[in-house]
Amino acid sequence: MTRWSALVDAVARWSTPPGADDDPDQAALRRSVADIGLRVALVSAALVVSVIALVVVYVLWQLTPEQQHEPSGPADVHITLDTLDLGVAVLGVGGFAVVLAGFASWAIARRAVRPLAEAARVQRTFVADASHELRTPLAVLHARVQQLARLTPTADPRRPVVDALGDDSRVLIAITEDLLEVAAGRHDPTAVADLVSELDTVRRDLAVLAAEHDVRLDVEPAAATIAMPATHLRRCLVALVDNALGHARPGGTVRVTVDRAGDDVVVHVLDDGPGITGIDPERVFDRFAHGTPTVRPGRAGTRTGYGIGLALVREVVVRAGGSVTVADTGPSGTDFALRLPTAEDPR
């Protein structure tokens, strides 16, 4: 963290009203206000200091012997000032101007980000409403799947598919509840996830999609306890693997590997597709960002999306204290690196 970022964080914490919640969106807005306010205040202070310096230079220049002994003209007016009093007055007025500029810039910054705060509120309201409306249909769906499981004998060859449907419906319910908690600004900082279990779930659930795309899915098991809810981790892994499956060449392979990086774990999702083209690789995490659609040889149409999945991955993982980047991309494929904090991470 740079010194400027540390200063912005300190000002944001100082400006947080007592009893305010720790909602990530509100914290980000307060940090934006602090950042803008500090920058405007510094520019204003620099202008005030420059004016004060010019006044001081002019006064000192007037006090030089050449200027003091310069013959007076008929229209000249002579004013006697005490140097100490003048210095105190200049510094006092300058200091007051700097403080006033700081409070003015703070007020301007708050007003400038107010539309962003309203947009975030509307977005969260929509997510909360949509998630709430999905709860009942998903509960009904899960109940019907359970009923179907009771009607399907254990020895029936269709029973594994029915059980998988039950697991999928539970995942959908968990994601809906998770979206509601995020929209409400609630989260459990003590929640952890088992990486081995989530990788196995992703491998099992996405094997069907991999078969449809004629792609081999190779997931490397790795033991680690991740400092984030299991639902969040699963959403990140599913989105990255689904994206890789959609861009891998038919007959190719999508590999998921895990490395250690200090106290963190880095999950690499690699495909052997044509790479990211038509857009800056770092912009693929922006909402609604699109690169060149992937042409699937031997298949009708192209693979494209809405540009939301990777943006959600970044939002979820950053909230947990991790990161996601494009480690490498080119004609031989793309490598997404998902850096995750472990439960033992002191952060």
Side-chain angles (χ1 to χ4, degrees), residues 37-316:
L38 281 173
R39 291 179 187 277
V40 176
L42 286 177
V43 172
S44 303
L47 292 175
V48 171
V49 170
S50 299
V51 172
I52 293 175
L54 290 175
V55 171
V56 171
V57 169
Y58 178 76
V59 170
L60 293 177
W61 176 64
Q62 289 294 322
L63 293 177
T64 58
E66 295 82 1
Q67 292 295 319
Q68 288 181 337
H69 295 91
E70 183 181 3
S72 301
D76 290 342
V77 178
H78 293 272
I79 301 176
T80 303
L81 293 174
D82 183 85
T83 305
L84 179 61
D85 291 342
L86 179 60
V88 172
V90 169
L91 293 177
V93 172
F96 176 76
V98 170
V99 173
L100 184 62
F103 279 106
S105 62
W106 188 268
I108 293 172
R110 286 180 61 88
R111 188 176 184 86
V113 302
R114 192 173 298 165
L116 298 178
E118 179 62 18
R121 186 193 66 80
V122 171
Q123 180 186 31
R124 293 178 58 183
T125 300
F126 169 76
V127 171
D129 292 344
S131 302
H132 185 270
E133 291 300 318
L134 287 173
R135 294 178 73 184
T136 300
L138 287 175
V140 173
L141 174 64
H142 184 62
R144 288 178 176 172
V145 171
Q146 288 181 313
Q147 183 181 16
L148 180 60
R150 288 192 296 268
L151 296 175
T152 306
T154 306
D156 193 311
R158 294 168 293 188
R159 181 59 185 265
V161 178
V162 175
D163 292 339
L165 286 174
D167 293 337
D168 293 340
S169 63
R170 278 190 290 269
V171 170
L172 286 173
I173 292 173
I175 291 175
T176 303
E177 295 293 337
D178 178 61
L179 290 174
L180 275 172
E181 290 183 0
V182 172
R186 297 192 301 265
H187 67 280
D188 183 6
T190 64
V192 296
D194 181 17
L195 183 59
V196 172
S197 175
E198 297 309 320
L199 286 174
D200 184 64
T201 300
V202 170
R203 178 192 57 77
R204 184 183 66 247
D205 291 349
L206 296 187
V208 177
L209 289 180
E212 288 183 354
H213 291 297
D214 189 23
V215 175
R216 179 171 175 266
L217 178 58
D218 183 11
V219 179
E220 172 188 295
T225 302
I226 307 302
M228 64 189 303
T231 306
H232 292 191
L233 178 57
R234 188 179 305 121
R235 287 168 59 190
C236 293
L237 294 174
V238 167
L240 290 176
V241 174
D242 176 62
N243 177 76
L245 290 174
H247 292 86
R249 60 180 177 83
T253 302
V254 168
R255 293 187 297 115
V256 181
T257 64
V258 181
D259 294 329
R260 281 279 182 175
D263 293 326
D264 294 341
V265 167
V266 181
V267 179
H268 292 272
V269 180
L270 307 97
D271 65 66
D272 54 4
I276 300 173
T277 57
I279 189 176
D280 186 341
E282 291 305 316
R283 287 202 57 231
V284 299
F285 300 105
D286 296 342
R287 267 181 171 78
F288 307 111
H290 291 278
T292 303
T294 301
V295 179
R296 305 303 303 270
R299 297 185 180 215
T302 60
R303 165 75 179 196
T304 185
Y306 294 99
I308 299 177
L310 296 179
L312 291 176
V313 171
R314 182 175 63 177
E315 181 178 324
V316 170

